[in-house]
Amino acid sequence: MLFLLLPLLAVLPGGENADGFEEPVSFHVIKISSFYNDSWERNLGSGWLGDLQTHTWDSKSSTIIFLWPWSRGNFSNEEWMELETLLRIHFIVVSEAVHRRVSELAFQYPCEIQVTAGCELHSGKLSGSFLRVAYQGLDYTSFPNNSCVPSPLGGDAAKRACKAFNQDQHNKDELHHFISDTCLRFLLGLLDAGKAYLQRQVKPKAWLSRGPSPGPGRLLLVCHVSGFYPKPVWVMWMRGEQEQPDTQRGDVLPNADGTWYLRATLEVAAGEAADLSCRVKHSSLEGQDIVLYWEHHNSVGLIILAVIVPLLLLIVCLALWFRKRCSH
Ligand SMILES: *[C@@H]1O[C@H](CO)[C@@H](O)[C@H](O)[C@H]1NC(C)=O
């Protein structure tokens, strides 16, 4: 059993910790603030557990929307209320700072500020935390080790902002408190509260199709794998037991229901497709790989052709015959 499992473990990207989560796991927030002029602004905020959105900031009511029943993690209602209050103050302070910068000619309208901040977990411990700020879509400042570093793209304005931030130790302590201590505590609580959902196993469905012809006498074989969870998956075109290294793996794309989709393609000469197969390994399959043969796929097409066409002809003949009889 172990012998059979070893190759599977070797091919699945990313290790898993004892709790069955893919490593590393992260929580981060994204904030996008747009300032059109000195009286029009819009704030978008969201919270993310890895790829999965868990929170939205509702700017109309200035409250946090919890997208999953477990999105509160292990924070108490008091803690959430405190966080909401802090965020409300944060939005006001940032808005005032931006308008001030515009009046100082450091920024200009329309103005777009993007912020992302979060922390990463490895083997149950904090493995990194980050805060990055962008202005007009370009890096502005980052905060490695809780101190502000201006981006070369940020110019003098970013340099001045960092100088002001770094002068005050209190700023660094606050930052550490949020993106390291609080974030880690929240992430651990969130993983625990959402365990049943996050550790579910959903089996992929796979099917083959023919892609647009890459050239005369060439075929593009497409293997679709969809509906699987968690994200790590192994898909390869095979000739017998031989992996085909020319297999092109697409991006793993999200389905609307939280599962994933991936396609793997292989370009071959038309005569060489016969003994090819697509093999799929996924943790939900428990070692029972999905194997789809191109030949069968093709013969399914032939069977359909062989059954449907005569059937259609028969129906048409019957219809004509009935019509004739009725008119008589
Ligand atoms: C600010 O921009 C908004 C949206 O375009 C516009 O409706 C509003 O009149 C502008 N206000 C000023 C003071 O220019």
Side-chain angles (χ1 to χ4, degrees):
M1 187 66 187
L2 190 63
F3 183 69
L4 286 175
L5 277 174
L6 279 177
L8 180 63
L9 291 179
V11 297
L12 292 176
E16 284 194 7
N17 69 15
D19 287 337
F21 290 111
E22 284 167 54
E23 295 277 13
V25 193
S26 66
F27 181 79
H28 69 279
V29 292
I30 296 177
K31 195 191 78 158
I32 304 172
S33 304
S34 312
F35 302 85
Y36 201 81
N37 53 36
D38 58 13
S39 57
W40 189 97
E41 73 173 81
R42 185 190 58 186
N43 287 299
L44 301 173
S46 52
W48 300 78
L49 176 62
D51 296 313
L52 180 69
Q53 190 177 353
T54 48
H55 302 80
T56 299
W57 175 254
D58 182 34
S59 51
K60 279 207 187 75
S61 60
S62 286
T63 52
I64 297 166
I65 297 174
F66 300 92
L67 299 179
W68 299 96
W70 43 268
S71 289
R72 288 172 177 271
N74 61 358
F75 279 18
S76 64
N77 284 344
E78 288 73 41
E79 254 174 315
W80 280 114
M81 272 158 60
E82 212 175 289
L83 269 174
E84 276 178 348
T85 308
L86 278 176
L87 283 168
R88 277 176 212 140
I89 296 170
H90 167 86
F91 280 117
I92 294 169
V93 169
V94 167
S95 164
E96 280 172 358
V98 167
H99 293 313
R100 204 169 49 240
R101 291 262 151 89
V102 172
S103 64
E104 290 163 1
L105 305 177
F107 285 1
Q108 52 187 205
Y109 300 124
C111 163
E112 192 92 346
I113 312 272
Q114 293 157 287
V115 180
T116 179
C119 57
E120 204 175 80
L121 188 68
H122 205 290
S123 310
K125 290 197 183 70
L126 186 75
S127 61
S129 57
F130 58 91
L131 168 62
R132 288 194 295 272
V133 181
Y135 167 65
Q136 309 295 45
L138 297 175
D139 282 336
Y140 190 68
T141 53
S142 59
F143 295 75
N145 305 316
N146 304 311
S147 49
C148 181
V149 175
S151 157
L153 300 170
D156 285 341
K159 275 188 206 146
R160 280 200 303 276
C162 278
K163 202 169 165 201
F165 180 93
N166 290 335
Q167 266 166 3
D168 192 347
Q169 181 62 33
H170 176 73
N171 285 335
K172 299 184 188 180
D173 295 344
E174 280 282 283
L175 186 60
H176 179 80
H177 171 68
F178 276 108
I179 66 172
S180 299
D181 301 343
T182 307
C183 183
L184 176 67
R185 189 162 59 89
F186 178 62
L187 175 53
L188 289 170
L190 195 62
L191 289 174
D192 190 50
K195 197 147 68 178
Y197 182 77
L198 299 167
Q199 294 185 7
R200 74 198 192 282
Q201 293 282 335
V202 188
K203 288 184 183 168
K205 290 193 171 45
W207 66 96
L208 305 178
S209 75
R210 184 182 297 195
S213 172
R218 308 285 296 169
L219 284 180
L220 187 67
L221 317 187
V222 188
C223 180
H224 307 259
V225 185
S226 187
F228 54 91
Y229 185 92
K231 198 175 182 182
V233 69
W234 184 94
V235 184
M236 189 61 82
W237 279 98
M238 315 278 294
R239 195 181 294 282
E241 289 299 306
Q242 201 75 41
E243 291 174 16
Q244 299 299 295
D246 292 338
T247 300
Q248 299 283 325
R249 203 181 136 107
D251 292 327
V252 180
L253 304 173
N255 282 326
D257 64 356
T259 62
W260 297 98
Y261 168 89
L262 173 70
R263 50 179 256 163
T265 56
L266 182 68
E267 192 191 318
V268 289
E272 288 173 6
D275 54 347
L276 285 166
S277 61
C278 174
R279 181 178 280 259
V280 181
K281 296 174 193 279
H282 187 257
S283 51
S284 65
L285 298 170
E286 294 169 346
Q288 305 279 316
D289 301 354
I290 296 178
V291 182
L292 297 175
Y293 293 92
W294 181 254
E295 230 166 27
H296 291 186
H297 162 73
N298 257 5
S299 54
V300 167
L302 285 181
I303 290 168
I304 289 175
L305 217 65
V307 174
I308 300 283
V309 171
L311 209 66
L312 276 177
L313 281 175
L314 192 71
I315 291 170
V316 170
C317 290
L318 279 175
L320 286 174
W321 182 69
F322 268 115
R323 242 179 67 179
K324 237 177 170 172
R325 248 172 74 112
C326 287
S327 58
H328 276 296

